[in-house]
Amino acid sequence: MSRILQEKRSHEVQVARWCPEKAYVELVVPEDVHAVSKIVFRTDSHDQGYSGEAHGQGTYDFSNTWFVAIVLSPGGIERNPRQIVQYNVHASSTFKRHEVIWKADSEEISIREWVRSVRGGDTVQLAPKAQFAGWINFVREAEIEIHCSDSIPVTLSTPPCYRRLDESSAEIRLLSLNPGVPNDPISCSLLYAKLGEHPPMHYESLSYCWGNSRDRGEITVKIVEDGAELSYTMSATLSLLTALKGIRPLNGPARVLWVDAICINQDDIDERSSQVAMMRSIYHQAQRVVVWLGDGNDTTRKSIRLINAISDRYKKSGFSVGSTKDDLKSLHDPLMNGNEAHLFIEEFPLFTYPWFRRTWVVQEIFNAQKSILCCGSDSFEWESLLRVNKCILLRGVTMRSATKALMPPFFDKLFKSKVTEENGISSTSIEILDVLIQGLDLDTTDPRDKLFAILQFGRETWKLDSLPLTIMPNYNRSTPEVFALFTKWWIMEHRSLRILSAIQALERRTWQETHWETPSSVPSSGKVPSWSWGYRGHSNWAIGLLGLSRDSPYRASGDTMPNIQAIKESSEFPLILPLTGFRVGVIEGIDTYPYFQPPDAGYEDLHSAYVGVFDPINLTGKWNYQFNSKVNEKYIDVEPSEVHRENVGHFYAHAESSFISGGLECRSKCLFRTQEGSIGLCPYAAKPDDLIVVLYGGNVTYILRPQTQQGSGLNEATEYEFVGECYTQGYMNGEGIQGQEEKAIPTEVFTLH
């Protein structure tokens, strides 16, 4: 059945290059949508009405204000590279309506693939953008309209071709893929092997994207049972079928593979949990990991030819670190040559494949002893791709290529910190919390895998068989329980509350509001407790968080530690967290921070904290991707003239409100005052009557919201919603601890839910 979905918003806003990126309007696609046939975008907007560019005025040429379309998966990750929808008329102050129609059968490949990628559960957004000083996008209305068809419910049942695996002997299934020509149906058989057995079973592991679970086909699976060969039909995603057809031999012997969707009985929760815990060994013991990116085309073939040419030059030259610049230039030709390099980068298509945005593939490629990446009939080595990616980073990217030319930084950071542990197992030197923050930029179908797939990379969690059962992969636990139990474990393991600051890298938990409206698109079944780590967010949002870094300058709770015993005793209630501390005050009001008229002497640290958290002129790119971003969140070592120039530009972008408030209209109100007379900085979600507290073991002060709960299993009591970290003037260096003793302020147990 076909239907039309619509979402419209009418509200005047102004967007400059320094403003946080916000979706002006968004539409959540219902879960039961099977396919999208057409998307209509309507906008009503104009630019600042003038420009210093003599050419193109009154046309769409040389316009630097526009709208982009973004499609987010249920995990909050961009499913496809964002696309430009519409530019404003250059140097026109008259509102103009535009209607742009994208169809699933469009002749333009990028548009066709973008529309076809939208699935049930996704969120489609329309965001206004501006680039360069002086350019402002004035918007008063926008609308998204989606034409789609509903899916027909399909009940999938596992065929009786699986026998139970012997978990005690690390048994796995393998897929023996029979030869065939391109149009032949997939035919295979199931084998059984034991990891670590001698002689070992030779196999390869397949790394690929599962694709849309509603787009399915069939494969024939043969097994031998009681001496007789039996055939079964098994359902598989079209993505997997394409991968198997792409890598199967045309003739000769079968190809033996480990393929997660087939070799694990997905209907057996206990087996899934057990096999996921073994995946590091499964991929490490494979002779080779075969990565299937997808079908190729002329553009991918051109890129792969260059990757392989650079790889061949390295092999022939015996390249060493001490080679001259001229050697590097010849090895990397044409990536070290001006215009030719930028043209290549803008057209480089490989990182647009969904494989690079999936969480599980990181573990699969990281643990490979040897790997090869396949794109259609072309192939290349992983090490060669890493080399080319570094070269792209050195050359820089343009506005057009920025969202598609770069490998997610998570890959590069992990491989740079790679260390070999006992038994040849690979891990990293990075703490698990930092790994999880970087992992926010990748996607999974099951939210729990944002933890399970990443545990092996943490410096303190790489020994999976030594971890407590509470954080081991277990699909019998709900999503909220998985993340809540991990958060409790982290606090007890590190005797610290730094993870409470990390929570503000999660969606809807940030310091800065990232939506003009705040409808929640997160299913209630997936919502984690207010104090728990989660799975939707962005690593950039962690820049400048007050209490996250081990080197945080703040010591609000002095030398105290969390009450570990109280946390242990709460194990019967996994979704609550008891923390000990004391009250500092109650928020009375919240105002715009006067960035252009900062507080007087004695409040320098407060102003520095504001700059680090809110990035008011977007030098770090925390809230809006910025080319050549500065990484120092406090603007240290940045030329004062540059800061002044950007400040002036941003001031006049919001001149009317800036003259009145002394602050930035596009930054959330954050300057709070308490009933007791204190001032400080708070995230956008804070409200009057919220509590400011010091919690033992925390570097900073925190905000809690009292809520009376009944029937919670802990007797009727006051529980608290955790709002976030905050900066409270006069309490960030342990003054509150001393004041508690002097003023006999009582210690309390705050039960967070």
Side-chain angles (χ1 to χ4, degrees):
M1 183 178 71
S2 298
R3 56 174 156 161
I4 298 175
L5 311 170
Q6 290 178 304
E7 194 68 48
K8 183 178 183 178
R9 183 168 184 266
S10 301
H11 182 70
E12 291 198 21
V13 301
Q14 301 172 22
V15 176
R17 61 168 290 187
W18 306 274
C19 298
E21 180 177 279
K22 296 183 182 181
Y24 182 85
V25 61
E26 66 178 34
L27 194 161
V28 180
V29 182
E31 292 278 355
D32 60 354
V33 166
H34 173 66
V36 172
S37 59
K38 182 171 70 175
I39 302 179
V40 182
F41 299 101
R42 299 183 181 94
T43 61
D44 191 3
S45 58
H46 66 79
D47 70 9
Q48 66 286 343
Y50 59 89
S51 82
E53 175 60 60
H55 302 289
Q57 294 195 14
T59 74
Y60 296 101
D61 296 335
F62 306 105
S63 174
N64 287 299
T65 61
W66 68 98
F67 290 84
V68 292
I70 303 166
V71 56
L72 300 178
S73 71
I77 304 302
E78 293 192 27
R79 189 176 291 287
N80 250 340
R82 54 182 57 189
Q83 298 285 333
I84 293 175
V85 175
Q86 178 66 51
Y87 285 94
N88 284 320
V89 175
H90 180 174
S92 171
S93 59
T94 303
F95 278 103
K96 184 175 178 63
R97 295 186 66 85
H98 295 94
E99 181 176 88
V100 178
I101 300 174
W102 290 356
K103 295 183 178 180
D105 58 358
S106 170
E107 293 183 0
E108 189 173 343
I109 295 175
S110 60
I111 297 300
R112 181 172 69 238
E113 292 182 349
W114 198 94
V115 174
R116 291 180 178 180
S117 74
V118 179
R119 307 174 189 171
D122 287 353
T123 302
V124 177
Q125 299 179 330
L126 191 61
K129 304 287 288 183
Q131 182 70 4
F132 303 124
W135 289 83
I136 304 175
N137 199 340
F138 292 79
V139 187
R140 70 178 179 187
E141 188 172 270
E143 182 179 7
I144 301 173
E145 178 180 293
I146 296 180
H147 296 243
C148 56
S149 58
D150 296 345
S151 59
I152 300 173
V154 177
T155 302
L156 300 175
S157 58
T158 303
C161 57
Y162 290 131
R163 71 160 172 78
R164 193 160 188 82
L165 294 174
D166 182 1
E167 185 178 338
S168 64
S169 63
E171 189 176 36
I172 62 172
R173 298 184 189 90
L174 295 171
L175 181 75
S176 181
L177 180 62
N178 296 323
V181 297
N183 291 327
D184 284 350
I186 294 294
S187 174
C188 56
S189 57
L190 284 182
L191 308 174
Y192 289 81
K194 296 177 181 178
L195 292 178
E197 66 181 350
H198 297 284
M201 169 73 79
H202 295 299
Y203 67 94
E204 299 171 295
S205 287
L206 179 64
S207 179
Y208 69 105
C209 279
W210 278 37
N212 193 336
S213 61
R214 294 189 177 95
D215 295 334
R216 309 190 71 85
E218 294 180 341
I219 62 175
T220 300
V221 180
K222 297 179 180 180
I223 64 168
V224 176
E225 188 175 305
D226 296 330
E229 185 177 82
L230 303 176
S231 293
Y232 297 96
T233 299
M234 178 180 288
S235 175
T237 64
L238 293 183
S239 178
L240 175 55
L241 290 177
T242 302
L244 293 176
K245 288 183 178 181
I247 66 170
R248 71 176 167 185
L250 291 174
N251 48 53
R255 190 170 191 173
V256 180
L257 301 159
W258 188 84
V259 182
D260 55 1
I262 297 176
C263 295
I264 298 176
N265 182 354
Q266 301 297 326
D267 289 342
D268 188 331
I269 300 299
D270 292 332
E271 181 178 303
R272 279 177 62 196
S273 302
S274 172
Q275 291 282 291
V276 162
M278 295 166 54
M279 281 183 62
R280 173 169 59 187
S281 298
I282 291 171
Y283 278 87
H284 181 67
Q285 293 187 30
Q287 286 183 301
R288 183 170 65 170
V289 171
V290 180
V291 175
W292 176 258
L293 295 180
D295 292 326
N297 53 45
D298 291 341
T299 307
T300 61
R301 282 188 282 274
K302 178 181 176 182
S303 297
I304 292 171
R305 279 198 301 270
L306 176 60
I307 292 172
N308 287 332
I310 292 174
S311 178
D312 290 341
R313 290 180 208 140
Y314 268 81
K315 292 174 181 177
K316 292 176 181 177
S317 67
F319 170 75
S320 64
V321 175
S323 296
T324 66
K325 187 175 181 180
D326 288 339
D327 289 335
L328 285 173
K329 186 174 181 180
S330 63
L331 284 167
H332 286 258
D333 182 67
L335 291 184
M336 301 290 281
N337 298 324
N339 292 334
E340 196 172 353
H342 283 296
L343 181 62
F344 171 83
I345 291 170
E346 288 185 352
E347 295 180 347
F348 191 72
L350 296 181
F351 297 141
T352 65
Y353 281 94
W355 186 88
F356 289 98
R357 298 187 292 277
R358 301 296 294 176
T359 304
W360 273 115
V361 304
V362 182
Q363 183 180 127
E364 295 161 6
I365 196 71
F366 187 85
N367 291 306
Q369 298 188 59
K370 185 178 179 182
S371 58
I372 185 169
L373 285 80
C374 302
C375 184
S377 58
D378 301 297
S379 62
F380 53 98
E381 296 175 345
W382 173 252
E383 291 75 13
S384 303
L385 186 63
L386 288 178
R387 191 176 292 127
V388 168
N389 184 61
K390 289 180 181 179
C391 200
I392 290 174
L393 290 170
L394 289 172
R395 292 303 307 174
V397 294
T398 66
M399 185 185 304
R400 179 180 161 195
S401 63
T403 59
K404 69 175 182 178
L406 298 178
M407 180 187 292
F410 189 39
F411 288 93
D412 192 48
K413 290 180 179 179
L414 285 186
F415 277 85
K416 278 183 178 177
S417 62
K418 190 173 184 177
V419 294
T420 302
E421 307 285 1
E422 57 195 54
N423 301 322
I425 294 296
S426 295
S427 183
T428 77
S429 56
I430 309 175
E431 286 190 357
I432 186 60
L433 183 56
D434 296 326
V435 177
L436 287 169
I437 290 171
Q438 294 300 318
L440 287 173
D441 300 330
L442 300 178
D443 204 7
T444 59
T445 302
D446 188 326
R448 295 169 291 187
D449 289 336
K450 292 290 281 282
L451 176 63
F452 296 160
I454 282 178
L455 282 172
Q456 82 143 93
F457 301 118
R459 189 172 69 194
E460 64 272 55
T461 56
W462 71 272
K463 282 188 175 182
L464 299 181
D465 54 358
S466 300
L467 293 177
L469 292 177
T470 52
I471 64 169
M472 284 285 285
N474 184 346
Y475 291 98
N476 286 304
R477 292 197 178 104
S478 68
T479 296
E481 286 179 323
V482 165
F483 288 103
L485 288 169
F486 171 82
T487 305
K488 284 187 173 185
W489 170 84
W490 194 96
I491 291 172
M492 292 187 288
E493 177 74 11
H494 293 266
R495 297 181 181 274
S496 165
L497 299 184
R498 286 194 300 120
I499 195 170
L500 296 186
S501 292
I503 289 168
Q504 290 186 259
L506 301 178
E507 189 176 73
R508 315 285 184 185
R509 305 302 306 277
T510 49
W511 275 82
Q512 168 65 42
E513 193 166 12
T514 57
H515 293 74
W516 270 295
E517 295 178 342
T518 56
S520 176
S521 58
V522 182
S524 58
S525 60
K527 286 184 178 179
V528 299
S530 64
W531 50 269
S532 173
W533 179 249
Y535 58 92
R536 288 179 63 115
H538 292 287
S539 62
N540 261 14
W541 292 344
I543 296 173
L545 291 178
L546 301 178
L548 175 60
S549 171
R550 271 185 170 276
D551 302 321
S552 171
Y554 308 117
R555 295 181 63 254
S557 70
D559 296 323
T560 62
M561 291 190 299
N563 187 335
I564 303 301
Q565 187 59 36
I567 298 174
K568 287 181 178 178
E569 291 173 356
S570 72
S571 59
E572 186 179 347
F573 307 98
L575 302 185
I576 64 109
L577 176 67
L579 293 176
T580 306
F582 58 91
R583 302 176 184 227
V584 168
V586 178
I587 293 180
E588 184 175 58
I590 304 172
D591 298 309
T592 298
Y593 182 79
Y595 173 65
F596 299 111
Q597 302 168 13
D600 297 330
Y603 292 90
E604 293 86 355
D605 288 346
L606 182 145
H607 185 72
S608 180
Y610 174 84
V611 170
V613 167
F614 284 96
D615 188 14
I617 52 177
N618 199 38
L619 288 189
T620 68
K622 177 176 183 177
W623 306 112
N624 193 349
Y625 179 81
Q626 181 66 40
F627 312 111
N628 302 317
S629 300
K630 306 294 188 298
V631 295
N632 193 303
E633 65 268 17
K634 301 260 178 99
Y635 296 177
I636 299 171
D637 298 328
V638 180
E639 288 293 331
S641 60
E642 181 179 0
V643 174
H644 176 73
R645 183 177 66 251
E646 301 296 320
N647 276 338
V648 170
H650 204 182
F651 178 90
Y652 283 104
H654 305 289
E656 186 175 340
S657 62
S658 294
F659 273 114
I660 297 172
S661 69
L664 289 166
E665 183 183 60
C666 65
R667 292 312 192 264
S668 299
K669 290 184 176 181
C670 66
L671 182 63
F672 72 78
R673 63 186 182 281
T674 68
Q675 296 173 4
E676 294 75 15
S678 296
I679 69 167
L681 302 173
C682 61
Y684 82 90
K687 298 177 181 178
D689 297 327
D690 286 347
L691 295 183
I692 308 294
V693 299
V694 169
L695 297 176
Y696 295 158
N699 292 330
V700 295
T701 52
Y702 302 96
I703 300 177
L704 306 181
R705 183 167 299 148
Q707 294 190 350
T708 300
Q709 302 288 327
Q710 295 185 9
S712 63
L714 294 173
N715 300 321
E716 184 174 336
T718 298
E719 294 187 359
Y720 297 86
E721 176 185 348
F722 179 75
V723 177
E725 65 171 9
C726 66
Y727 182 101
T728 307
Q729 183 73 13
Y731 282 87
M732 302 304 288
N733 296 305
E735 300 95 331
I737 294 292
Q738 182 178 350
Q740 184 191 20
E741 297 173 358
E742 294 174 353
K743 300 175 183 178
I745 299 173
T747 297
E748 300 180 50
V749 175
F750 299 98
T751 302
L752 310 186
H753 70 91

